[in-house]
Amino acid sequence: MPTYTHGHAESVLRSHRSRTAENSAGYLLPRLHAGQSLLDIGSGPGTITADLARIVAPGPVTALEANDEAIALTKAELDAQGLDATYVVGDVHALDLPSRTYDVTHAHQVLQHLVDPVGALREMGRVTRPGGVIAARDADYAAFTWWPRVPALDEWLALYRRIARHNGAEPDAGRRLLSWARAADLQVLQASSSNWTYATATDRRWWGGLWADRITASAIATQATSLGWASTDDLERIADGWREWAADPDGWFMVPSGELIAAP
């Protein structure tokens, strides 16, 4: 199984639980309708899954995660919202699911963490019915941009990208979705992009605060120190840089993601 660079610390879940179908899968929504069957790969804390489930209801929804801990997060969210799904633990590189099963196969911020994203897309195509769609959205870390230029944030980005690549992942996945889909022999229907932008005082406190926490107390921090690529003092200095950026009234941060809709 691939190493999930972020892990599931509270600071990570704080970020992921802010995601909705509207702010994270808008490119897909026009193609959804009631009665479709949907597979959500990398369902995480389940907020997007829940939104998609409501849209395709009464169509069946399957949520897939890499381990019991992660799928339990999805189930807890859907249970809290009174929604039903089938929960599966598995590897997207080799899905233990029948071919030509789903009208929609969706993965949000998943392919960037995989050792073989092309193989994963090929599997997503295999389990999708003729006439169905494969949808993926992934961030592009090298294209992240912000103001003011706080040197510690440049250090943060370089460190994160180094750790992700050490794990066999591709942090700059967004720009590669089109080429990966073509390599997987999928029919590309749409290649697009969209951004999350953090510029209000409230957004800066939230985004800067959660990254200050993630860089000092999450799987990323553990990997950085265990690999010898940063000391705890280094990570605290980077966290202070995030707090400095968040406190600046000129602070602005953009997270771009590539988007893909394809057919098998």
Side-chain angles (χ1 to χ4, degrees), residues 141-147 149 252-256:
Y141 276 75
F144 285 14
T145 190
W146 60 86
W147 186 260
R149 301 305 306 184
W252 182 93
F253 200 109
M254 183 181 70
V255 176

Side-chain angles (χ1 to χ4, degrees), residues 1 8 44 65-75 87-90:
M1 288 293 240
H8 295 98
E65 262 294 354
N67 55 55
D68 291 337
E69 175 191 9
I71 201 66
L73 294 169
T74 308
K75 187 175 187 303
Y87 302 97
V88 176
V89 173

